[in-house]
């Protein structure tokens, strides 16, 4: 297993600790977690959607939490007891609990979630504050002022 040592970069950079931690965590396996399956889609220039297959779960069985650039989705299904004493002879539909975590980039906000046809859709939007967007800087040259225009990313 390869491990990259980022300590030389810590000496010459400031504020990139979280980036190095994320890069380091990419090298570690996700412990084989494959349930529930999900898609991540780009639905617009600054809009994204996470779709998770959560068949058999209802709204009350799923908890979604966004905290410090981490989106956590937890599902815990209670066993249905209808009082008739039935027993399951074969269980092919997964009903196990799960927890998925997604790292969100800076300024990505969760707009909402919807459970429809066994799919949980979580809508996200990147909103960069106005003070962080590129701006024009004037350069004074003798008595004439020149302007530099920054391109919007």
């Amino acid at each position: 297993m390869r491990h990259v040592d980022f300590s030389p970069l810590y000496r010459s950079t400031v504020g990139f600790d979280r980036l190095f931690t994320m890069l380091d965590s990419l090298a570690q396996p996700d412990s084989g977690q494959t349930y529930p399956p999900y898609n991540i889609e780009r639905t617009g220039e600054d809009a994204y959607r996470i779709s998770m297959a959560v068949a058999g779960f209802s709204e009350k069985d799923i908890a979604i939490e966004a905290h410090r650039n981490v989106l956590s989705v937890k599902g815990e299904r209670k066993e249905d007891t209808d009082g008739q004493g039935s027993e399951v002879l074969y269980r092919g539909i997964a009903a196990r609990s799960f927890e998925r975590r997604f790292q969100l980039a800076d300024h990505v906000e969760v707009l909402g979630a919807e459970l429809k046809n066994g799919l949980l859709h979580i809508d996200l939007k990147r909103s960069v504050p106005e003070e962080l967007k590129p701006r024009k800087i004037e350069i004074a040259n003798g008595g004439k002022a020149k302007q530099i225009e920054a391109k919007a990313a």
Side-chain angles (χ1 to χ4, degrees), residues 5-151:
D5 183 22
F6 292 112
S7 57
L9 296 174
Y10 285 116
R11 288 182 287 222
S12 61
T13 60
V14 176
F16 291 96
D17 304 344
R18 201 174 119 230
L19 174 67
F20 297 140
T21 303
M22 287 174 49
L23 288 172
D24 199 30
S25 68
L26 287 175
Q28 298 173 0
D30 195 19
S31 69
Q33 184 183 18
T34 60
Y35 179 78
Y38 65 92
N39 292 337
I40 300 176
E41 310 168 60
R42 184 177 201 159
T43 58
E45 186 174 329
D46 288 327
Y48 303 90
R49 174 178 267 191
I50 298 173
S51 300
M52 299 178 70
V54 291
F57 287 85
S58 67
E59 291 91 354
K60 65 182 179 197
D61 299 331
I62 299 172
I64 303 170
E65 181 180 309
H67 182 67
R68 293 189 184 173
N69 294 1
V70 176
L71 175 68
S72 298
V73 181
K74 298 176 187 176
E76 187 172 347
R77 187 169 158 211
K78 283 84 176 167
E79 287 295 321
D80 293 333
T81 54
D82 55 3
Q84 296 181 7
S86 65
E87 74 178 274
V88 177
L89 300 177
Y90 171 76
R91 184 174 304 275
I93 299 172
R96 60 183 180 249
S97 298
F98 67 87
E99 180 175 359
R100 279 264 185 206
R101 294 180 185 262
F102 300 93
Q103 292 288 331
L104 302 179
D106 290 337
H107 313 294
V108 173
E109 302 169 357
V110 179
L111 296 179
E114 174 188 26
L115 183 61
K116 184 177 178 184
N117 297 331
L119 291 175
L120 175 66
H121 300 289
I122 303 170
D123 293 315
L124 309 165
K125 183 172 176 92
R126 182 178 56 175
S127 301
V128 179
E130 197 64 39
E131 61 268 7
L132 296 178
K133 291 182 179 177
R135 63 184 193 279
K136 295 180 183 180
I137 308 294
E138 293 185 21
I139 300 174
N141 185 8
K144 298 179 181 179
K146 292 185 180 180
Q147 289 187 352
I148 297 176
E149 293 189 22
K151 293 182 180 179

